[in-house]
Each structure stands twice: as structure tokens, then as C-alpha cells.
Amino acid sequence: MARLSRGGFLAIAIVFHLIYAYSIFSIYFVSPIVRGMREYSVENTEAPAKRLFLFVGDGLRADKAFQSFPDPSPSIDDLEAAKEPRPLAPFLRSRVLSHGTFGVSHTRVPTESRPGHVALIAGLYEDVSAVTTGWKLNPVNFDSVFNRSRHTWSWGSPDILPMFQHGAVPGRVDADMYGHEAEDFTQDAVQLDIWVFDKVKQLFADAKTNATLDAELRKEKNVFFLHLLGLDTSGHAYRPYSKEYLHNIKVVDQGVQEISQLVEEFYADGKTAFVFTADHGMSDWGSHGDGHPDNTRTPLIVWGSGVAPPVVSSKGTATGHEDGLSSDWGLDQIRRNDVAQADVAALMAYLVGLAFPVNSVGELPLAYLDGDAKSKAEALLVNAKEILEMYHVKEEQKISTQLRYKPYPKLGDEEHSVEHRIAQIRHSIDSGDAEKAIELGNDLIKTGLEGLRYLQTYDWLFLRTLITTGYLGWIAFALTTVIDSHVLHGELDTLRTTPSVIVFSSILVTLYSVLYIQQSSWVYYAYAFFPVMFWEEVYARRASLAKGKEVLLGHITSPWDRISLVLKSLAVLGVIEALVQSYFYREVYTVIYLLASPWPAFYGLEFVKRNALLVLTWVLSCFMMSIFTLLPAMKTENLNLILLGGFLMFALGAAYLLFEKSIIGSAPNSKADPASRSNDGLSKTILGAQIGLVLLAMIVTSSSVTSIQSRAGLPLGTQIVGWFTLIASLTTPFLHSLAPNPHYIHRLIIIFLAFSPTFIILTISYEGLFYFAFCVLLFCWVRLEREVYAQHRTAPQPLTPTKAANGGAPGGRRPTKDAVYRSLTLADARTALFFLALLQSAFFSTGNIASVSSFSLDAVYRLIPVFDPFSQGALLILKLLAPFAVMSAALAILNKRIGVAPSALFGVVTAMSDVMTVRFFYMVRDEGSWLDIGTSISQFCIASGLGLWVAGLEGVGGGMVAGVGLGGEEEESAGEGVVNGKAKAKVQGKGKEA
């Protein structure tokens, strides 16, 4: 490989990180869907029920469904009595107490609507990535209870119903939906549920005058689905402990009661089964998506034909309450029967006499069935056959693509074969030992699910090894490139030989052959290509590594130097490990900032005195930043904090506008007098407009928050002004090209003000204060790094044309620019480490990856009140990435101020960042609690994403500070470098770590 230009290295970094970030999907998120299975159904003469009604209270937590609360919406005549806690769902509670069976349905991550409904209705846990397809029309591409029914009528949200309608046999599923505009988070969401109940009532009213409809409704194996979105909308907008959410529970309970009574009167045959549950829960902060128990525990109440009555304990607490979750529900005497969410699909299919969905992994919950042991054993055997059919098809597919397949041990020999196990169960049923048959059936289902799991993870060892080798290869490649281009400046040729090329080519051909035989996905070829390419390049540059060691470590001669180097290396690794731990404990950043606050003192008292104001500002900034990770990541809306942050942003901008001349004039190394510029007036006018937008953002945010909190909705005028302010704040900075001011402080202020309105409009609490403190800290860091560099430059260090970085190298090298940069030293590793810590802090100071809920969508309702997840998510991402944009500009300016090549520190930072990524790759879990699983997956994705973002920052930063001048002493230093660089540049390796 020829030496890379800066753009080439950046391109490889981005492509590599994008592809390897996808590896998490290849390993942990592989779709479990297979084709070609036979269907299985219980052969009863008559199904337990002729029809089934499924009520899904979207976003209903298990505890809120059963706990007692004061009446959230009392009548005027009942104000005093309303203060007494009472169940908010008395009808559903009556089903639990005397008519049916209840429990908790445990969902899986991600706790979002699409995967939740798919699990309930298809009995399948889609791969985690499927959550991104749940917010647009994306039909289910697998079997479901609706598809197995004679006919399904459904009512509810346009985000859920179409995927089952269009994924079923044409004409089998009817979907009646309200419009997207009805999902307004600033309005009363109970109207969504009332709309559904009214539509169901209208259907049965129409049947009285429509003989054809009446006949269709009275046929067997029909399913009715009521999707009740009001609870989810109320929870997002007002939190699940709010009176709005609790009132919505009352509305749902009343609606379910009315529909149940209407249905019983219409059919009058007692052959209807009812299922009430939820797709996911809701955190205390109005969010869901992760594996927190509040999000994964939902109610399940089943009653009607074919359903077992409640099992009441005459004394003591009934079984099922051991976890303490239901201790305050007042249901201790009723047995609680918990299930996995996919089990509900199997239960519904059995109750209404349908074939089990062929992709279902649900286990039939026998405790919910009203029947004798023999009928339960027969049903369980059919359930086992359906699951084992999936195992058989998957195993056949795996055998056809493997060089040497190893079967699952528990199903791999004659004694443990599927046929032998099924024969045992059949014999037990026929001989009258139904209990034994049930025991064997449960064991066979468990074994079948384990076998499916075995096939799902069959390639993990190979893939993990490949991915790890790739990441380690990238780290080695990045560091080698940095040494070759920014320490040695391309002085040495690569040592690529024919034998080495043959060896690495043979390795790649062998890997590709295995992947071809196994019919692997195209992305697997990319996984195999990168490690071979990286390690081959590292091997070819082994001479540069040897020379780089001499240059960088040449001054390490005494024992104390060696000990110092070891201690500093351990300190670097310690900080990286601390950053890893910060994903679990945000408070780590509090410690990091407190330890960083005395950093300038390490350069001596003289240094502190010379930069007293700067050092004081640094210390105060560190103390301010140390506070944020002690504050709760789960935030509630606080207008006072929002306005305080906005005031500080406005004050900083106004102070600069008023004292620009003295600020820039007193800045070190500045010669230019801003007052002398002919376009000074225009520049101040544009800057004043930016400051005015900050003030306008405060006004419009105050108005929108007040309006939404008063339940008056979002006024159109406020929404328009909010959008205008946001867009104008991001576009106005481009007007500065009409009146350019090249000073770096001026450029940083422009960028700071550009994102200030974003952090006012899209914040709900202290995030604006964080943005202010973070930007001040970045400014101090840039200034301090320059002062440290100047102090430790004992003599003007020759700045060398970075030929390799610009496309030139010996043996065909050509300097493309007159740009001059100094060589990197070990001291620059500390600068890179500071940048990495600041990068991670920018993400975690206001959020916590332990809970996706910490990144609240509340603020986006001020711009988009109607449910639109992609647009709302884009606004949230804009706010999250704004500090990174400021940071990229700061790094680009720092590069200029300390004389290093633009891509030099970037290469070191990405290498350090991917040490963290590898750590998280091996910390990903797919077993244990769903909280642990979801968190570990999120941690890897964030760590990998931040590594990718570092690559993006390199390009963004250069563009944002284009045209920024060095000024004064720094320009003189550059001139000296040009003079010294006229002779052949000698590599300077004598720099000692600051």
C-alpha cells in the first residue's frame, strides 16, 4: 500500500469503523427467522374458544396496572373520598380475583412497540436492530396469530397496525387507524383510546343492520385486536406517575369493561376469550427502550372461555409473588403466573384453535389453560414439535454451509434424538401418565430452544476472533502511520517483500475460501480483509517502527527515565480504563476533573503566575464540570435551569461583543487590531444577530414550556418561531465570510453562539449549563496547551514539511504544499488523552448509557409535538453532537497553535479510543438480565460510534477553522521552522514529555 494522504487515512478510518461497528449485528443481532417449516396445531374436536379479543395497553407498566392511587380525576362531589387510594382498574382487577388468570409478562430489549407487538402476536423475538423498522411501514415478514386466524379486525395506531395487515394473507386483516396527526404529545391522549373503543362499538352496531357482517363476526377463529396508544403517549408527555397517565388507566379499564359486556351480549354463548397485556412498560422518566425492569414488566390478564379460574390461597401468600414486585398490589392470595412475552402468542393460538405461528418460540403457559392434564400434555407436545421444526430446518441449513458441522450434544445421538424424545412423551400420554408427559414436554421445549440458541451462536468464536484481530490491527496500523508520517516524516521506505506478500495473500485467500464455502454474508469478507491489510502494512513498515522507537525513546537512558516512562504508560492505561468504567459509573468524570484541575501547577509556580487568570479559569471550569456527573442523568423539565444556561450564553456573547477589541488585543501572540478592519461594523452586526438569537431562543422556549405544561398544546406561532430560531442560529455564522476575522478566539465565539440556541430550545434541565461550562473548559485547554508547548520548547524546534501526510514519500515522494509541522513527541500522547477524556465527557456529562431513558425526547415536543420518531430523533442527535462540533474546532485550532499536522493527534486518539472499543466488544452479553444485556450492547455501540465520530471530527474541525490565523509569536515560530526546514529536515526526538 502506498503511503496515505491525510484524506486517505481518514477515509480508511471511517470505512473501517462503519463496517466493524456493524459486526455487533452479525454476531449478536442475527435474525432468528427461517423459512420452510411445517405448521402444527392442536387437533381438538372443538377449540377452547370461538373467538379472541386482544387488548394491548401500549406502555402500561405492570405495577401501575395493579397498584392503588388516589383518584386522579375525581368528580366535584367526590373530592374528599377521592383522596383515598383505590385500584384504578377495578374491572380488570375483578377478572384477576374471580374470573381468570393473571401474571407478569416479561419483555425483551429493546422495549419498543414493534418488537413488543411482534413477540405478542408472532411469538418471535426479532433481532434488536428491528426496532428501527417499527416506526415506518415495514410489514412483518413471518407468521403470526393474525395470519393464522380466519379473520382479524384491528383498531389503533398507524405505526403498529399496517405491519401486521400487509404482512398477512391479503384480505385477512382489517386495520382501522386514526391519522398520524392525532398522536400529539401536547394534547389529551385518552382520546386515542376512546376512538378505538368507539370504533369497536360501531362495528357491532353495524352488524345489527348488516347481515353479511353479522355472519362474518359469528364465525369461529376470529381475532379482534385493540391497540390502545393513549397510555404510551401520556407516559412520554407527563410521566407514568402523573395524573394524566393514571387517568388514562381508568379510561382503558372502563373501555375494556364496556367492550367485554358488549361482546358477551352480542354472542351470548360464553365462548369468547379475552387477553389484556402491554407491549412494554415505561420508566419513571417517561421513556422506554432499555432493559430496566420498569420497561420489561407488563401486566397479563386472561379470562373467558378456555381460561383457568384464579387459584386462591386460603392462608399465606400464594406462589408467584416471591420477587416482592406485587407486594403492594393487594393480590397476595391469588397465584401469579409469570410468562415470557412470546408465550402470549402460543396461548392465544391455542385458545382460539389456531396453528402455532411457525416462527414462534413461545412456550404454552399451561397455568392459564382450563383443562385436564391429558389435554394440556397433548397441547404441549404440539408446541414442542413446532419449536423443534425450526431447529430441524436451521440445522439443515447449517449443515449445508459448514465444512465440519458439530451437532448440538443434547439432540445429537440416538438416545437424545427428537424422535426418541417425542416417542417417550407419546407413550406417557397413552399410558395415562400425563404429568410425566408434561414434564418431558417442558424438558423437550427447553432443549429445543437451547438447540436454536446453539445454532444461532455457532459462528461466534470465528467471528469474535476475526473482529478482535481487525481492531488490534487497526490500532497498530494507526500508530504505525502516525510514527511514519508525523515522527519520521516518511524518511524510510516500506520493506515489502515477495515472501511477505505471498504469506499475507495466502491468509486472505484461505479466509475467503472458508467464507465462500459457508455461504457467508458479503460483510464477512470485509471483516476478513481489514486485519490482513492492517497487519501486512504494519509488517511492511517495521523499519519505521524500529526507527520511531529510537526517536521517541532515545532520551530514555537512565533507570529513572525508564521508571518514569513505565509509570506514565500505566497512568495512560489507567485513564483509559477509568473511561471504560465511566460507562457504568458517571461519577468517574467527577474524579477525573478534580484530578485535572491542578494540572497547570505541574509546570511550576512561574508558569502559574504568568498565566494566573487562565489557570484560575481552568480550575473553576474543572470544578463546574465535576458537578454534572453528580447530578441525576434522569432529568425533569426545569425552566429556571434552562433560562439560567441561556443567560450565561447570552452574557458571554455580549461580553465578547462589547470588549472584543481588548480581548483579542490582550490575547497572547496577537498583533492585529480589530478596530483597524474596515469590515469591523459588519462583523459586529452579524455577531450581534447571533447573540439576539440566543435571547430569542430563551423567549420562545419559555413560551413553549409554559404552554405545554398548562396542557394548552403548542401554539403554531411559537412552533414557527422556534424553528426559525434554530435554523437561523445554524446558518447565520456563514455570514461572517462577508466580514472575516481570522483570530481563533473570534472563530470559537462564533461556533459557540451557533449552537447556543440549540442547547436552549432542546434542553429540559441543566444541559445548557453543561454546554457553557464545557465550551469555557475547551477554550482554557487550547490556551493552556499552547502555553505548555511554548514553555517546554527550549529552542525553536525545526518544523518539518510533512511530506508523507501530503502524499509525498521517498521513492516517488513529492511535497504538495509548503505546510510545515513539527514532529510529534511523547508529550503529545497526553494531549491526545485529554482530548479522548473530553470527548467521552461530552457524551456522559448529561446522560447515562446505563439507561437510554436519560436522553429524553421531551424537549423536541417544542418543535415537533406530533409523533415522528426519525425527525424527533434527529433533533435529539443534533443536541448531543453540538459539543462535539465545538470540540472538533478546538482541536483543529490547537493543532495550529502547537504546530502539529492536522491528522497527527487524530491517529493517536483513534488508537486509544479503540482500546476501549475492544474492551466493550468482549463485555457484550446476551445472557442474564435484560438490563445487563441491553446495557452491554449499548455500551459497545456508543464506544464504537464515538470512535467513528472521532474520525468524522478530523474532517469537520478543519472546515470549521479554515482561514484561522496563528498571529504574532506563533507566526514567527512558523517562519523559523521554514528557515530551519530549508535544509533536509532532521527528525527531532529530544522532546521530553510535559
Side-chain angles (χ1 to χ4, degrees), residues 410-423:
K410 292 185 179 181
L411 295 172
D413 55 42
E414 185 175 345
E415 182 181 353
H416 297 91
S417 66
V418 172
E419 294 76 12
H420 178 72
R421 286 170 175 259
I422 290 178

Side-chain angles (χ1 to χ4, degrees), residues 75-385:
S75 62
I76 298 178
D77 301 328
D78 193 34
L79 292 179
E80 275 304 314
K83 296 178 182 178
E84 279 294 317
R86 81 279 305 278
L88 298 181
F91 175 76
L92 289 171
R93 190 178 185 86
S94 71
R95 305 302 94 181
V96 174
L97 292 172
S98 57
H99 291 81
T101 305
F102 97 109
V104 172
S105 171
H106 295 271
T107 73
R108 291 194 181 185
V109 289
T111 45
E112 295 288 351
S113 290
R114 177 188 169 98
H117 281 90
V118 166
L120 285 170
I121 297 167
L124 169 74
Y125 298 113
E126 280 191 287
D127 61 278
V128 182
S129 62
V131 65
T132 60
T133 66
W135 299 316
K136 60 181 184 292
L137 178 56
N138 189 74
V140 294
N141 58 347
F142 39 79
D143 202 10
S144 71
V145 171
F146 294 173
N147 188 52
R148 290 290 163 187
S149 68
R150 182 186 301 277
H151 196 85
T152 293
W153 285 266
S154 60
W155 302 267
S157 168
D159 303 305
I160 297 299
L161 269 55
M163 66 181 179
F164 291 102
Q165 179 187 32
H166 295 283
V169 173
R172 181 159 294 176
V173 179
D174 287 345
D176 196 355
M177 302 164 286
Y178 38 75
H180 280 285
E181 67 279 357
E183 299 177 22
D184 190 333
F185 288 98
T186 66
Q187 302 296 330
D188 191 352
V190 298
Q191 297 304 320
L192 301 177
D193 297 339
I194 292 173
W195 184 93
V196 170
F197 293 132
D198 288 345
K199 285 291 185 178
V200 179
K201 294 173 185 176
Q202 185 62 48
L203 176 74
F204 284 94
D206 292 344
K208 295 179 180 179
T209 57
N210 186 327
T212 303
L213 176 60
D214 182 80
E216 286 296 319
L217 290 175
R218 295 185 184 279
K219 290 180 179 180
E220 297 181 6
K221 300 185 178 181
N222 284 335
V223 175
F224 302 84
F225 172 41
L226 285 72
H227 177 238
L228 308 171
L229 184 63
L231 286 161
D232 186 71
T233 306
S234 296
H236 284 310
Y238 306 112
R239 308 293 190 268
Y241 48 77
S242 65
K243 66 178 183 179
E244 288 82 3
Y245 186 88
L246 299 178
H247 172 64
N248 209 318
I249 294 177
K250 288 181 58 178
V251 172
V252 167
D253 181 72
Q254 182 179 351
V256 172
Q257 180 179 12
E258 292 173 356
I259 298 301
S260 299
Q261 292 173 349
L262 181 154
V263 168
E264 295 291 6
E265 292 172 2
F266 181 85
Y267 290 105
D269 59 2
K271 298 297 290 183
T272 305
F274 299 89
V275 177
F276 179 88
T277 187
D279 55 343
H280 54 73
M282 181 78 65
S283 75
D284 281 342
W285 307 98
S287 300
H288 53 81
D290 60 25
H292 192 280
D294 287 341
N295 295 330
T296 62
R297 295 188 295 215
T298 62
L300 176 61
I301 306 171
V302 187
W303 70 97
S305 182
V307 180
V311 177
V312 182
S313 175
S314 57
K315 52 183 178 180
T317 302
T319 58
H321 298 274
E322 292 80 11
D323 60 0
L325 169 66
S326 49
S327 60
D328 60 348
W329 296 359
L331 299 172
D332 290 353
Q333 76 279 18
I334 309 296
R335 188 171 77 181
R336 193 181 110 195
N337 302 279
D338 289 9
V339 302
Q341 192 172 46
D343 300 346
V344 178
L347 173 62
M348 292 192 297
Y350 172 79
L351 287 175
V352 78
L354 307 177
F356 292 107
V358 296
N359 299 108
S360 172
V361 294
E363 303 176 55
L364 186 62
L366 301 183
Y368 284 77
L369 307 185
D370 185 19
D372 56 33
K374 181 179 180 181
S375 63
K376 291 182 179 181
E378 291 280 6
L380 199 63
L381 177 58
V382 176
N383 187 196
K385 288 180 179 179

Side-chain angles (χ1 to χ4, degrees), residues 588-599 622-623 626-627 630:
V588 166
Y589 291 102
T590 299
V591 177
I592 289 176
Y593 279 117
L594 291 177
L595 292 177
S597 59
W599 165 56
C622 285
F623 276 111
S626 70
I627 295 173
L630 296 178

Side-chain angles (χ1 to χ4, degrees), residues 656 664 668-670 672 736-737 740-751 779 782-783 821 886 888-898 902 956-968 970-971 974:
Y656 176 79
I664 292 184
N669 315 321
S670 178
H736 283 281
S737 61
N741 181 343
H743 199 282
Y744 78 94
I745 295 180
H746 189 81
R747 185 66 58 87
L748 285 176
I749 286 291
I750 291 172
I751 297 170
F779 174 77
V782 171
R783 294 280 298 272
Y821 305 109
V886 180
S888 66
L891 179 64
I893 289 173
L894 178 61
N895 285 335
K896 289 174 175 283
R897 301 203 75 207
I898 63 177
V956 172
M960 296 181 73
V961 301
V964 170
L966 297 177
E970 290 164 277
E971 289 178 348

Side-chain angles (χ1 to χ4, degrees), residues 404-457:
R404 186 180 178 185
Y405 172 73
K406 291 179 61 177
Y408 181 54
K410 292 185 179 181
L411 295 172
D413 55 42
E414 185 175 345
E415 182 181 353
H416 297 91
S417 66
V418 172
E419 294 76 12
H420 178 72
R421 286 170 175 259
I422 290 178
Q424 282 185 311
I425 298 173
R426 183 79 265 165
H427 175 74
S428 297
I429 294 174
D430 294 341
S431 62
D433 193 354
E435 295 297 335
K436 178 66 173 177
I438 291 174
E439 180 184 341
L440 293 173
N442 282 323
D443 183 64
L444 182 56
I445 289 177
K446 180 181 177 182
T447 303
L449 293 174
E450 290 174 352
L452 288 172
R453 169 74 181 164
Y454 171 80
L455 296 174
Q456 191 85 355
T457 61

Side-chain angles (χ1 to χ4, degrees), residues 488 492-495 538-549:
L488 304 180
L492 300 178
D493 290 316
T494 56
L495 300 178
V538 170
Y539 180 78
R541 297 190 193 180
R542 58 192 181 277
S544 295
L545 289 175
K547 180 65 175 177
K549 178 183 176 182

